[in-house]
Amino acid sequence: MVYAPALLCFFLFCVGVLRDRRRFGNAVLLGLTGLFAFGAWIFELRDRHPVLARDLGVALVVLVALGIVTLAWFLISNGLVMVRKEGRSPANLLSLLAGLALVALLGLLIATVVLQGRVLVAVTATALALAGYVGFLFLCFVVYAFLYGRLALRRRADFVVVLGSGLIGGSKVPPLLASRLDRAHAVHGRLSRRGRRPVLITSGGQGPDEDLPESHAMADYLIGRGFPAGLIEREDRSRTTEENIEFSRTIMVKARPDYRCVIVTNNYHAFRAAVTARRAGVRGHVVGSPTAAYFLPSAVIREFVALFATYRRTNLGICLLVFLGGGFIWLLG
């Protein structure tokens, strides 16, 4: 019976994936499945082999501490690489800031163990609870996003939509966007070989520092590599991912009300784009193209922050409960 919560969460996860695999709730259910299953295993082990369970608990504490230190070092190192290669924009500082936050959390924990003040204990307990909640959601996001990227595509699609990502020098397609376009070209070819030639929608408007809309530069890139110009539709009004998807949806509904589509973006962005597409009522799934390894940590953190903000009411409510719990600990102390 100790495994019943894990089995229930796994059943709900399977149902959720079958209904719509683009739901963030699926990621949370998968995480809860693993958490409850691990807790049940530890409970069973403690009941049957108490000494082994104790030793395993000590080993896990040591491994977690070493893992946090290693992760902090990795994030800080990656953040410095991002600043050197990509500049000091807020998005490029995310991995560096995350690493520094972990260092600060470790410092706070050590100070609490040494000083043991009532206020310090309450602050540390609150910080650890918040870090645990955010860390759990982040792990759920990373694992499920990885799984989502490996689910099979539909065999039929009427449209392939490529999301824009900015131009270099106001007119040139950068490597990040080129990887999306190359993947879209390959996906279009695979779908065409199955009997139907879908229309390819390049989606992206013109920014203040760009000489032409992103969608036009994207179309020119594809045509220059042999893609048929007659199969390209340009969506040139959007400025954000949400607008990319919404305006492309308008084009698809107008041309074919019962459409199916495949949306192409970079691998780190695929799951959030899928969640956005579901919320916008788009009938289709998202595939990702390769991204430079050094770029991934900050990009994945940025996507998680955006998803966290998407469900901000729920997350802020839970964070408020954590703060109230910290205040309760302070009062009891």
Side-chain angles (χ1 to χ4, degrees), residues 34-208:
L35 187 64
F36 285 138
F38 181 75
W41 178 68
I42 291 294
F43 180 85
E44 188 178 27
L45 187 66
R46 188 187 65 177
D47 188 52
R48 296 183 180 183
H49 308 283
V51 176
L52 178 60
R54 183 197 63 197
D55 294 341
L56 181 61
V58 173
L60 284 175
V61 170
V62 173
L63 285 175
V64 168
L66 290 175
I68 292 175
V69 171
T70 303
L71 180 61
W73 173 82
F74 169 76
L75 289 172
I76 291 172
S77 300
N78 177 260
L80 295 175
V81 172
M82 282 292 294
V83 169
R84 187 173 69 251
K85 291 189 174 184
E86 302 290 337
R88 297 183 181 181
S89 69
N92 294 336
L93 293 173
L94 285 175
S95 58
L96 177 61
L97 293 175
L100 293 175
L102 286 177
V103 171
L105 185 63
L106 287 173
L108 183 62
L109 184 59
I110 293 170
T112 303
V113 171
V114 173
L115 300 176
Q116 297 184 350
R118 187 176 72 172
V119 174
L120 197 57
V121 169
V123 170
T124 303
T126 303
L128 287 175
L130 286 174
Y133 173 68
V134 174
F136 171 74
L137 288 182
F138 181 73
L139 187 61
C140 293
F141 164 70
V142 170
V143 171
Y144 189 72
F146 176 82
L147 293 176
Y148 179 85
R150 277 145 187 81
L151 294 174
L153 278 175
R154 293 183 181 274
R155 298 183 62 85
R156 179 184 73 83
D158 306 295
F159 297 92
V160 176
V161 181
V162 194
L163 306 184
S165 68
L167 303 175
I168 293 178
S171 59
K172 184 180 178 181
V173 170
L176 194 73
L177 183 53
S179 70
R180 299 183 185 187
L181 294 165
D182 292 338
R183 180 69 193 276
H185 197 164
V187 168
H188 188 278
R190 188 160 65 249
L191 291 171
S192 296
R193 287 191 292 273
R194 293 171 181 169
R196 177 177 294 181
R197 304 191 76 188
V199 173
L200 192 148
I201 300 176
T202 55
S203 179
Q206 183 172 352

Side-chain angles (χ1 to χ4, degrees), residues 249-323:
R249 175 183 175 275
T250 301
I251 293 173
M252 292 185 288
V253 169
K254 184 177 180 180
R256 191 180 182 92
D258 61 341
Y259 73 92
R260 294 287 176 178
C261 72
V262 175
I263 300 172
V264 182
T265 183
N266 285 89
N267 49 13
Y268 67 84
H269 187 230
F271 182 54
R272 182 167 76 88
V275 172
T276 304
R278 181 189 69 82
R279 291 166 67 90
V282 172
R283 291 190 294 275
H285 289 284
V286 184
V287 299
S289 62
T291 306
Y294 78 89
F295 193 83
L296 280 175
S298 283
V300 170
I301 293 172
R302 183 175 72 238
E303 295 303 302
F304 172 72
V305 170
L307 266 181
F308 193 89
T310 298
Y311 299 97
R312 54 186 172 274
R313 291 184 180 178
T314 300
N315 290 319
L316 288 177
I318 293 175
C319 289
L320 179 60
L321 289 176
V322 171
F323 277 112

